[in-house]
Amino acid sequence: PTGLFLVAGPCLIENRQMAVAVATELDRIRQEEGISVIFKGSYRKANRSSASSYTGIGDREALEILCEIRDVFDMPVLTDVHETSDVELAASYVDVLQIPAFLSRQTELIVAAASTGLAINIKKGQFMAPEDMALAAEKAASTGNRKIMLTERGTTFGYHNLVVDYRGLPIMADSGWPVIFDATHSVQLPSASSGVSGGDRRFLMPLARAAVAAGVDGLFFEVHPEPSNAMSDAATQVPLDQFHAMVRELMQLQGCMQSIREAFHSPNQSEES
Amino acid sequence: PTGLFLVAGPCLIENRQMAVAVATELDRIRQEEGISVIFKGSYRKANRSSASSYTGIGDREALEILCEIRDVFDMPVLTDVHETSDVELAASYVDVLQIPAFLSRQTELIVAAASTGLAINIKKGQFMAPEDMALAAEKAASTGNRKIMLTERGTTFGYHNLVVDYRGLPIMADSGWPVIFDATHSVQLPSASSGVSGGDRRFLMPLARAAVAAGVDGLFFEVHPEPSNAMSDAATQVPLDQFHAMVRELMQLQGCMQSIREAFHSPNQSEES
Amino acid sequence: PTGLFLVAGPCLIENRQMAVAVATELDRIRQEEGISVIFKGSYRKANRSSASSYTGIGDREALEILCEIRDVFDMPVLTDVHETSDVELAASYVDVLQIPAFLSRQTELIVAAASTGLAINIKKGQFMAPEDMALAAEKAASTGNRKIMLTERGTTFGYHNLVVDYRGLPIMADSGWPVIFDATHSVQLPSASSGVSGGDRRFLMPLARAAVAAGVDGLFFEVHPEPSNAMSDAATQVPLDQFHAMVRELMQLQGCMQSIREAFHSPNQSEES
Amino acid sequence: PTGLFLVAGPCLIENRQMAVAVATELDRIRQEEGISVIFKGSYRKANRSSASSYTGIGDREALEILCEIRDVFDMPVLTDVHETSDVELAASYVDVLQIPAFLSRQTELIVAAASTGLAINIKKGQFMAPEDMALAAEKAASTGNRKIMLTERGTTFGYHNLVVDYRGLPIMADSGWPVIFDATHSVQLPSASSGVSGGDRRFLMPLARAAVAAGVDGLFFEVHPEPSNAMSDAATQVPLDQFHAMVRELMQLQGCMQSIREAFHSPNQSEES
């Protein structure tokens, strides 16, 4: 066990065949590498840049595909909810409910999701300072839920651009909750080309390695059999056939980080002492 | 008629007495000054920094107070909605539905609100470029609704700070929809002091005057009889007894701007020509 | 007297004929409008984006043209200095020495310029908070020089973009020194197109009007007979034949602001009281 | 050889004893660890926040101490120059001339420094996009000098704060010049406390590890026997007795990165293919 887990899957559950193809490959990777994987897939895109963007195949259809992946592969599945009214339906199909970054200040949504008792992943708003994520986690914890994860996915940096502040990883870890680095959305360029979000896949690995080295509990990637044909985030999803090599590289780095931690940081010592 | 309208009222409908006191003063101001006023009040705060923050007196109680103000003062009233399920209830009490800035990318919420046929005010997300607000307005307009307003309230600028980019006012005006400048939230310092948003009231008037001079259709202010005792936004609400003088100052400036436009800008001429 | 002065002229003294043409027009404007004008021209560009950018016609040649304008038109002239070794030469030809924004933290340069006894204009660094300009002014004032001006020209906002924070105008004014708004460089887009700084002339007037309304002592514009043929800042210099109308518009607004100040702000009262 | 070099030393040459103590420790570290070290020390601070800040013991005195370290320890030494007139003097004492970040757009300074034939380290301006550093390097290379290094030290992020954009490391590496990560100044909080720059030493190691993992050729740290008594940058210099352990940790990580590069990235392959 490397002490690192993955959240991975397609941006959107576009159809059963694609979702199963991704899950099959993720299942193979976790068995060969011995890494935990949470399968990620949105059942509906509620916050597209433009009203004409594609939003999905239907809620129940998509959720049933997620549920099938959970059962067939014995793999936990995650999806995101956008309103409190989404929570009950989604919760009956998945293991982890995710709060989207734009919604990280919506108290009622966080509380509704956390009240299901399922694990909760709260993405840090593009407009939030990392220390403020402790307050978001407290909203979830106020329900008694202790399965809370916090995800970095970049901060507003001028227009149509995001920057990852790596100081935010140890700051969020101070809250005591596991911290995930979302490489896919961190390299996004919001609404950069006439209403469609772009991004640069080239920076995925440098930023993901930087996150492992700075210190992180999980990594989040969107993967797709053919990103150029994806219904969303075409610029930043990882081609499925390249993902295994990326995971191995990051696990090798994580192994090194564990040796470093053992050698240089005693367990009861904080980094600065 | 000055060609300028006001959106004003307390951050939150804390109780009937306070709301009526504010409405009484706003009614007096509009009669003495001949300016249109939309009464603003949230019936519930859904996106507080911290779960322990106060959220309201009850939805129906607050909405009925808004409705009473509409009827007694014959003044249009505005409130904000946070989920599609809020829309039907709120729509039965008010004239204008407002989409909060954090939710300006939630397509379904915008469409649900616009589908009521009521006027819609979409606040620009702190994470959005001004040109992208045309896409948000298109989402509302896709329902056939043509009563759409766009509101500037500051853009993420580092942590715990916002900046107003005044280039955004003409950019948003290019969309063809009326543009409002929200002075109160533009001077906010998000989550600046341990989970409570602060701000500096001192900059309200310089920024509001700058907006009138750059060119804007409406101004948005939160006013409160005793800001220091307000349940929210204590740092940035305007003391009720100071608001009339502020309005007069801004109307005088707007009158000057109208003379300038007549003298220097022919109606069919864009600014740059 | 409107209580507003202008700093205006070409970005670079490209040749005598052009500089005199600009000065002739500025002289006509100040006489017709009764406004003070400081003629601005760089004698050398020392901080171009690229080494191959044009830097000037020669220091003495350019400075002599500035000096001729001062003498012929009886108009104060301003130029910028980049190193302490520039100060003595430049000081013998001009009335105002300007510290470029990139150099606003160079203590020795500020002190050397201020020690000449000439008026000093310090531009706010794109990387500086407005309150820190009081420290820059103190460096100049430490020489006994009391003729100090501070100029806003935009703050770094992501890459290749600047934003003007209008809160900075009253903050800088708190230092007690006159505050100038540089419209030309505030609309610049640094190094936006392959090593050449761009910008959008369209925002010059909305931002300049906003500055007058927020409150400012002077306005700074670069003007050029044919901006499209300018050796620098082609995108943001004002066409010479449009400048008079712009000045009249801004003076009319300033006249209105003076009426507003008299009516709403007693002289010994600060804005917030 | 790890393929990683260090630039390290005190912010300012405060006195001979301190500088020699630092050099002695750096010499011990490089011998024990087999890593190249460039000794860094400013001979004068020219860009302090405030005029009353301490600037140094005298130029020649400080440069002679640097020269002595070079000779006694056979270690290359680096210092920074602020004006072209500094170049000749400094160049006669040191091996590497550094262009400060605020001055990274000063063409004449870069050209003067590069013309000495010494190695040149150009720090990326807090206001610059990483791709624009190729233009700065070209200015140096235009003199025929091919010993050019580029250093990341954080980008303006709101007021009184910097953020490191790790996408900038591969972008700068594309220029073909070695890229250094300056951990010390990247964690600085400019002018954060009434005219004195602060910072948080706690983030030094997470950010330095992230840089090694993202990919970098050198690391830059300021070290001081007693940071709390340092004449400058007290908040961010590394205590001398902690530096060896930090270097060993970063070298272990770099060793891991070399294994990863050999396993996953063939030499003629770019990261994205």
Side-chain angles (χ1 to χ4, degrees):
Chain A
T2 64
L4 197 67
F5 64 91
L6 291 177
V7 181
C11 180
L12 180 64
I13 302 295
E14 299 174 10
N15 59 65
R16 185 183 172 282
Q17 186 190 353
M18 180 272 271
V20 170
V22 173
T24 303
E25 175 66 2
L26 294 178
D27 185 44
R28 199 176 64 77
I29 291 172
R30 69 171 174 168
Q31 287 182 31
E32 290 191 19
E33 306 300 333
I35 188 168
S36 295
V37 175
I38 299 169
F39 184 89
K40 180 266 152 174
S42 293
Y43 67 94
R44 191 173 77 240
K45 304 307 289 181
N47 55 3
R48 305 301 299 267
S49 304
S50 157
S52 59
S53 298
Y54 180 75
T55 62
I57 59 172
D59 294 357
R60 278 185 192 278
E61 290 74 1
L63 286 165
E64 276 164 13
I65 293 167
L66 280 168
C67 198
E68 179 187 344
I69 286 168
R70 169 166 68 170
D71 294 345
V72 171
F73 294 96
D74 194 24
M75 191 185 282
V77 296
L78 169 154
T79 202
D80 45 340
V81 287
H82 294 83
E83 298 209 335
T84 53
S85 59
D86 295 340
V87 169
E88 190 181 352
L89 178 68
S92 64
Y93 289 100
V94 302
D95 305 284
V96 187
L97 292 173
Q98 179 169 287
I99 308 296
F102 289 142
L103 304 179
S104 56
R105 282 285 295 274
Q106 305 306 311
T107 306
E108 294 173 11
L109 179 63
I110 293 173
V111 167
S115 297
T116 62
L118 295 181
I120 304 298
N121 181 28
I122 311 176
K123 290 199 158 186
K124 182 165 76 64
Q126 297 88 338
F127 44 81
M128 271 175 80
E131 59 270 27
D132 295 340
M133 283 300 283
L135 298 169
E138 269 175 43
K139 294 177 183 179
S142 71
T143 66
N145 192 325
R146 307 299 293 172
K147 293 176 287 185
I148 299 168
M149 300 177 284
L150 307 179
T151 296
E152 165 67 28
R153 49 90 78 237
T155 301
T156 296
F157 182 65
Y159 295 135
H160 304 134
N161 202 0
L162 299 170
V163 68
V164 176
D165 180 1
Y166 283 82
R167 295 173 301 183
L169 300 178
I171 288 171
M172 286 198 282
D174 281 348
S175 70
W177 307 109
V179 175
I180 299 171
F181 175 70
D182 173 350
T184 298
H185 293 94
S186 291
V187 303
Q188 215 178 34
L189 303 175
S191 299
S193 42
S194 33
V196 179
S197 288
D200 197 333
R201 197 179 280 117
R202 166 190 187 209
F203 300 118
L204 284 170
M205 284 302 284
L207 293 200
R209 289 196 308 260
V212 171
V216 80
D217 301 290
L219 291 169
F220 181 116
F221 284 96
E222 287 183 352
V223 297
H224 193 282
E226 290 179 278
S228 56
N229 291 329
M231 306 304 294
S232 58
D233 285 1
T236 53
Q237 296 197 56
V238 174
L240 187 58
D241 59 6
Q242 295 176 18
F243 191 54
H244 195 161
M246 288 166 61
V247 171
R248 276 195 289 135
E249 180 174 336
L250 293 164
M251 287 179 68
Q252 184 167 332
L253 183 60
Q254 172 71 1
C256 172
M257 279 305 302
Q258 287 188 302
S259 306
I260 284 173
R261 281 193 198 96
E262 284 156 20
F264 294 97
H265 305 279
S266 76
N268 297 317
Q269 229 181 339
S270 68
E271 182 117 23
E272 63 269 51
S273 60
Chain B
T2 65
L4 196 67
F5 64 91
L6 290 177
V7 181
C11 179
L12 180 65
I13 302 295
E14 299 174 10
N15 60 64
R16 184 182 172 284
Q17 185 190 354
M18 180 271 271
V20 170
V22 172
T24 303
E25 175 66 2
L26 294 177
D27 184 46
R28 197 176 64 78
I29 291 171
R30 69 172 174 167
Q31 288 182 30
E32 291 192 17
E33 306 300 333
I35 188 168
S36 295
V37 175
I38 299 170
F39 184 89
K40 180 266 154 174
S42 293
Y43 66 93
R44 192 173 76 238
K45 303 307 288 181
N47 56 3
R48 306 299 300 268
S49 305
S50 157
S52 58
S53 296
Y54 179 75
T55 62
I57 58 171
D59 294 356
R60 277 186 193 277
E61 290 75 2
L63 286 165
E64 276 165 14
I65 292 167
L66 281 167
C67 198
E68 179 187 344
I69 286 168
R70 170 167 66 170
D71 293 344
V72 170
F73 294 96
D74 192 24
M75 190 186 283
V77 296
L78 169 154
T79 202
D80 45 340
V81 287
H82 295 83
E83 300 208 335
T84 54
S85 59
D86 294 341
V87 170
E88 190 181 349
L89 179 67
S92 64
Y93 289 99
V94 302
D95 305 283
V96 187
L97 292 174
Q98 179 170 286
I99 308 296
F102 289 142
L103 304 179
S104 56
R105 281 287 294 275
Q106 306 305 311
T107 306
E108 294 173 10
L109 179 62
I110 293 174
V111 168
S115 297
T116 62
L118 295 181
I120 304 299
N121 181 28
I122 311 176
K123 291 199 158 185
K124 182 165 77 63
Q126 298 87 338
F127 43 80
M128 271 176 81
E131 58 270 28
D132 295 340
M133 283 300 283
L135 297 168
E138 271 176 40
K139 294 177 184 180
S142 70
T143 67
N145 191 324
R146 308 298 294 170
K147 293 176 287 184
I148 300 168
M149 301 176 281
L150 307 179
T151 296
E152 164 67 28
R153 49 89 78 235
T155 302
T156 296
F157 183 64
Y159 295 135
H160 303 135
N161 201 0
L162 298 170
V163 69
V164 176
D165 181 1
Y166 283 81
R167 296 173 300 182
L169 299 178
I171 289 171
M172 287 199 282
D174 281 347
S175 71
W177 306 109
V179 175
I180 298 171
F181 175 70
D182 174 350
T184 297
H185 293 94
S186 291
V187 303
Q188 215 178 32
L189 302 174
S191 297
S193 43
S194 36
V196 179
S197 289
D200 196 333
R201 196 177 282 119
R202 167 190 186 208
F203 300 118
L204 283 170
M205 284 302 283
L207 293 200
R209 288 195 309 259
V212 170
V216 80
D217 301 289
L219 291 169
F220 180 116
F221 284 95
E222 287 184 353
V223 297
H224 193 283
E226 289 179 279
S228 57
N229 291 329
M231 305 305 292
S232 58
D233 286 0
T236 52
Q237 295 197 57
V238 174
L240 187 58
D241 59 4
Q242 295 176 16
F243 191 54
H244 195 161
M246 289 166 62
V247 171
R248 276 194 289 135
E249 179 175 337
L250 293 164
M251 286 180 70
Q252 184 168 335
L253 183 60
Q254 172 71 2
C256 172
M257 279 305 302
Q258 287 188 301
S259 307
I260 284 174
R261 281 193 198 96
E262 284 156 21
F264 295 96
H265 306 280
S266 76
N268 296 317
Q269 227 181 343
S270 70
E271 183 116 22
E272 63 268 50
S273 61
Chain C
T2 66
L4 196 67
F5 64 90
L6 291 177
V7 181
C11 180
L12 181 65
I13 301 295
E14 299 175 10
N15 59 64
R16 185 182 173 283
Q17 186 190 353
M18 179 271 272
V20 171
V22 173
T24 302
E25 175 66 1
L26 295 177
D27 184 45
R28 197 176 65 78
I29 292 171
R30 70 171 173 167
Q31 286 182 31
E32 290 191 18
E33 305 300 334
I35 189 169
S36 295
V37 176
I38 299 170
F39 184 89
K40 181 265 153 176
S42 293
Y43 67 94
R44 191 173 77 240
K45 303 307 289 181
N47 56 2
R48 305 301 299 267
S49 304
S50 157
S52 59
S53 297
Y54 179 75
T55 60
I57 57 170
D59 294 356
R60 277 186 191 278
E61 289 74 3
L63 285 165
E64 275 166 13
I65 293 167
L66 281 167
C67 197
E68 179 187 344
I69 287 168
R70 170 167 67 172
D71 293 344
V72 170
F73 294 95
D74 193 24
M75 189 185 283
V77 295
L78 168 154
T79 202
D80 45 341
V81 287
H82 295 82
E83 299 208 335
T84 53
S85 59
D86 294 342
V87 170
E88 189 181 351
L89 179 67
S92 64
Y93 290 99
V94 302
D95 304 283
V96 187
L97 292 174
Q98 179 169 286
I99 308 295
F102 289 142
L103 303 179
S104 57
R105 281 286 294 275
Q106 306 306 310
T107 306
E108 294 173 11
L109 179 62
I110 293 174
V111 168
S115 297
T116 62
L118 295 181
I120 305 298
N121 181 28
I122 311 176
K123 291 197 157 187
K124 182 165 75 64
Q126 297 88 339
F127 44 81
M128 270 176 83
E131 58 270 29
D132 295 339
M133 282 300 283
L135 297 169
E138 270 176 40
K139 294 177 185 180
S142 71
T143 67
N145 191 325
R146 309 299 293 171
K147 292 175 288 183
I148 299 169
M149 301 177 282
L150 307 178
T151 296
E152 165 67 27
R153 49 92 76 234
T155 301
T156 296
F157 182 64
Y159 295 135
H160 304 135
N161 201 0
L162 298 170
V163 69
V164 176
D165 180 0
Y166 283 82
R167 296 173 300 183
L169 299 179
I171 289 172
M172 286 199 283
D174 280 348
S175 70
W177 307 109
V179 174
I180 299 171
F181 175 69
D182 174 350
T184 297
H185 293 94
S186 291
V187 303
Q188 214 178 34
L189 303 175
S191 297
S193 42
S194 35
V196 179
S197 288
D200 197 333
R201 196 177 283 119
R202 166 190 189 210
F203 300 119
L204 282 171
M205 284 302 284
L207 294 199
R209 288 196 308 259
V212 170
V216 80
D217 302 288
L219 292 168
F220 180 116
F221 284 96
E222 287 182 353
V223 297
H224 193 281
E226 290 179 279
S228 56
N229 292 329
M231 306 304 293
S232 58
D233 285 1
T236 51
Q237 296 197 55
V238 174
L240 186 58
D241 59 5
Q242 295 177 18
F243 191 54
H244 195 162
M246 290 166 62
V247 171
R248 275 193 290 136
E249 179 174 338
L250 294 164
M251 285 179 70
Q252 184 167 334
L253 183 60
Q254 172 70 3
C256 172
M257 279 305 303
Q258 287 188 303
S259 305
I260 284 173
R261 282 193 197 95
E262 283 157 21
F264 294 97
H265 306 279
S266 76
N268 297 317
Q269 228 181 341
S270 69
E271 184 116 21
E272 63 268 51
S273 61
Chain D
T2 65
L4 197 67
F5 64 90
L6 290 177
V7 180
C11 180
L12 180 65
I13 302 293
E14 298 175 9
N15 60 64
R16 185 182 171 283
Q17 185 190 354
M18 181 272 270
V20 170
V22 172
T24 302
E25 176 65 2
L26 294 177
D27 184 45
R28 198 176 66 76
I29 291 171
R30 70 171 174 168
Q31 287 182 32
E32 291 191 18
E33 305 301 334
I35 188 169
S36 294
V37 175
I38 299 170
F39 184 90
K40 180 267 152 174
S42 293
Y43 67 92
R44 190 173 78 240
K45 304 306 288 181
N47 56 2
R48 306 300 299 269
S49 305
S50 157
S52 58
S53 298
Y54 180 75
T55 61
I57 59 171
D59 295 356
R60 278 187 192 275
E61 291 74 2
L63 286 165
E64 275 164 14
I65 293 167
L66 281 167
C67 198
E68 178 187 344
I69 287 169
R70 169 166 68 169
D71 294 344
V72 171
F73 294 96
D74 193 24
M75 189 185 282
V77 296
L78 168 154
T79 202
D80 46 339
V81 287
H82 295 83
E83 300 209 333
T84 53
S85 60
D86 294 340
V87 170
E88 189 181 351
L89 179 68
S92 64
Y93 289 100
V94 302
D95 304 284
V96 187
L97 292 173
Q98 178 170 286
I99 308 296
F102 289 142
L103 304 180
S104 57
R105 281 286 294 276
Q106 305 306 311
T107 306
E108 294 173 10
L109 179 62
I110 293 175
V111 168
S115 298
T116 61
L118 295 181
I120 304 299
N121 180 29
I122 310 176
K123 292 199 155 184
K124 182 165 76 63
Q126 297 88 338
F127 44 80
M128 270 176 82
E131 59 269 28
D132 295 340
M133 282 299 284
L135 297 169
E138 269 176 41
K139 295 177 184 180
S142 71
T143 66
N145 192 325
R146 307 299 294 172
K147 293 176 287 184
I148 299 168
M149 300 177 283
L150 306 179
T151 296
E152 165 67 28
R153 49 90 79 235
T155 301
T156 297
F157 183 65
Y159 295 134
H160 303 135
N161 201 0
L162 298 170
V163 68
V164 176
D165 180 1
Y166 282 82
R167 295 172 301 183
L169 299 179
I171 288 171
M172 286 200 281
D174 280 349
S175 70
W177 307 109
V179 174
I180 300 170
F181 175 68
D182 173 350
T184 298
H185 293 94
S186 291
V187 303
Q188 214 178 35
L189 302 175
S191 297
S193 42
S194 33
V196 180
S197 288
D200 197 333
R201 197 178 281 121
R202 164 188 189 209
F203 300 119
L204 283 171
M205 283 303 283
L207 293 200
R209 289 196 308 261
V212 170
V216 80
D217 301 289
L219 291 169
F220 180 116
F221 284 96
E222 287 184 352
V223 297
H224 192 282
E226 290 179 279
S228 56
N229 291 329
M231 305 304 293
S232 58
D233 285 1
T236 53
Q237 296 198 57
V238 174
L240 187 58
D241 59 5
Q242 295 176 18
F243 192 53
H244 195 163
M246 289 167 61
V247 171
R248 277 194 289 135
E249 179 175 337
L250 293 164
M251 287 179 69
Q252 184 168 333
L253 183 60
Q254 171 71 2
C256 172
M257 279 305 303
Q258 287 187 303
S259 306
I260 284 173
R261 281 192 197 99
E262 283 156 21
F264 294 96
H265 306 278
S266 76
N268 298 317
Q269 230 181 340
S270 70
E271 184 116 22
E272 64 269 49
S273 62

